[in-house]
Amino acid sequence: MDQLFKKRNQELKEFSSWLKRHKPKPKKEIPDNIFKQCDACHESIPYFSFVENNYVCPKCGHHMKISARQRIRNLIDEGTWREYFEKETSTNQEHFPEYDQKLKKAKMTTGMNEAVICGIGKINQQRVVLCVMDSHFMMGSMGKVVGEKICKGVELAMRKKLPLIISCTSGGARMQEGIDSLMQMAKISAALKKFSNQGGLYITLLTHPTTGGVSASFAMLGDIIISEPQALIGFAGKRVIQDTIKQELPVGFQTAEFLLDKGFIDMIVERKDLKNVLSDLLSLHGGIL
């Protein structure tokens, strides 16, 4: 009997060892970055397709958000970009709770010091001053330093006698900075008035989303106003406006297409065509009005 038990135990050990050696390997999960879901049509698209298509969905044409540096790479001739005011950054002057941590996180995740990048580069060999806002940095909110950098960008265009392009995207004012944030609307608008009086050409590019104080000021002050397709453009949300005026609003009233139809913007241009369209406009106007 003992011999039988020993033999049985040995067989079980050998079988267990065999199972371990021949255990099927688990199937590898598909990495998250292989596919990306479109925000509009919700189709899963191979990530490389988005990259090759300038982050525009190949299925429905939806223009995804892109970073400021990606925008600069798309528009500016290679090797011609020079950034200005890159070290300027916000501080927590109002001692707003957790603002320091939010600034630190935004800097780490974006590699930027603020929500806008300004500089000089060439678009098809034509020099321009370009300011690009980035919604990945605290939703592109317009704090004091954002306003100061854009003002300096306007002054740079005046000093160099160059055309000015501002690529806008924002969730509005940066509440952590109180009145300092709200004052940027007036400050930038005043600088643009001086630029206009000197005959400077100012082009605005509205991207998704452009809202709040940005849309209420410099975003809509361009001599030529361009938007990417389907961009959300407006001041306040639909519910806030309807509750205020006690009226139903038209479907899609804050889309680029609706604003083009009503004459608020001049043209809608797909991302793949933006560089050439801007180049044509610069050539047509010679950098001045």
Side-chain angles (χ1 to χ4, degrees):
M1 200 72 174
D2 289 342
Q3 288 290 91
L4 183 63
F5 275 118
K6 286 181 180 178
K7 184 178 179 181
R8 187 74 171 174
N9 285 337
Q10 183 62 30
E11 287 175 348
L12 286 173
K13 287 180 180 178
E14 289 176 357
F15 181 67
S16 176
S17 177
W18 182 89
L19 279 178
K20 288 179 180 178
R21 291 196 310 271
H22 294 86
K23 185 179 180 181
K25 294 180 180 180
K27 292 182 179 179
K28 290 183 179 180
E29 294 184 3
I30 298 175
D32 292 337
N33 62 352
I34 293 294
F35 290 92
K36 184 173 179 63
Q37 189 178 65
C38 174
D39 295 337
C41 69
H42 305 297
E43 288 282 335
S44 290
I45 311 294
Y47 194 81
F48 73 86
S49 294
F50 272 112
V51 175
E52 288 181 344
N53 209 34
N54 279 327
Y55 296 92
V56 176
C57 177
K59 294 282 188 180
C60 69
H62 175 69
H63 285 52
M64 306 284 283
K65 296 177 184 177
I66 61 175
S67 69
R69 298 202 184 279
Q70 180 65 47
R71 178 79 60 188
I72 292 165
R73 286 193 293 270
N74 287 355
L75 295 179
I76 297 297
D77 300 346
E78 188 176 354
T80 68
W81 177 252
R82 179 187 173 189
E83 186 174 347
Y84 285 74
F85 330 122
E86 63 267 30
K87 294 183 180 180
E88 298 189 15
T89 186
S90 295
T91 56
N92 192 4
Q93 293 182 347
E94 301 298 323
H95 306 291
F96 197 93
E98 299 181 4
Y99 186 33
D100 289 310
Q101 294 91 323
K102 288 183 177 180
L103 283 172
K104 183 178 179 180
K105 182 180 178 181
K107 291 176 185 179
M108 288 180 63
T109 56
T110 63
M112 299 167 58
N113 283 325
E114 255 305 338
V116 65
I117 296 175
C118 302
I120 294 178
K122 292 182 180 180
I123 298 178
N124 290 341
Q125 297 304 309
Q126 299 174 94
R127 292 181 77 216
V128 298
V129 172
L130 175 65
C131 300
V132 184
M133 304 184 76
D134 195 323
S135 61
H136 297 94
F137 194 109
M138 296 184 68
M139 264 311 297
S141 52
M142 186 169 57
K144 180 180 179 181
V145 173
V146 171
E148 288 176 348
K149 288 184 71 171
I150 293 176
C151 277
K152 288 180 179 180
V154 179
E155 292 166 355
L156 182 64
M158 282 192 281
R159 191 165 65 250
K160 300 285 187 179
K161 300 189 183 303
L162 293 173
L164 170 68
I165 300 172
I166 300 181
S167 176
C168 306
T169 182
S170 180
R174 192 174 295 177
M175 67 175 187
Q176 293 91 340
E177 297 186 19
I179 192 65
D180 282 340
S181 178
L182 295 172
M183 285 302 296
Q184 305 315 308
M185 291 190 293
K187 186 165 69 175
I188 298 171
S189 298
L192 287 169
K193 176 60 176 173
K194 291 182 180 178
F195 183 62
S196 177
N197 289 343
Q198 290 188 7
L201 174 65
Y202 170 42
I203 300 174
T204 50
L205 170 60
L206 313 184
T207 68
H208 179 81
T210 299
T211 60
V214 172
S215 64
S217 56
F218 62 90
M220 303 302 285
L221 292 177
D223 301 306
I224 303 169
I225 303 176
I226 303 171
S227 176
E228 288 192 327
Q230 303 165 359
L232 170 67
I233 304 165
F235 179 64
K238 182 177 181 179
R239 187 179 65 181
V240 173
I241 298 172
Q242 286 188 158
D243 289 347
T244 301
I245 67 175
K246 308 301 180 186
Q247 292 182 25
E248 283 293 319
L249 295 168
V251 175
F253 82 108
Q254 287 184 319
T255 61
E257 288 72 17
F258 184 89
L259 296 180
L260 177 67
D261 183 59
K262 301 302 178 183
F264 279 85
I265 63 177
D266 297 303
M267 62 180 77
I268 295 173
V269 181
E270 292 187 20
R271 190 171 292 161
K272 64 182 177 63
D273 299 321
L274 264 174
K275 182 172 182 176
N276 287 333
V277 168
L278 288 170
S279 174
D280 289 344
L281 290 171
L282 293 170
S283 297
L284 179 64
H285 292 281
I288 59 173
L289 284 180

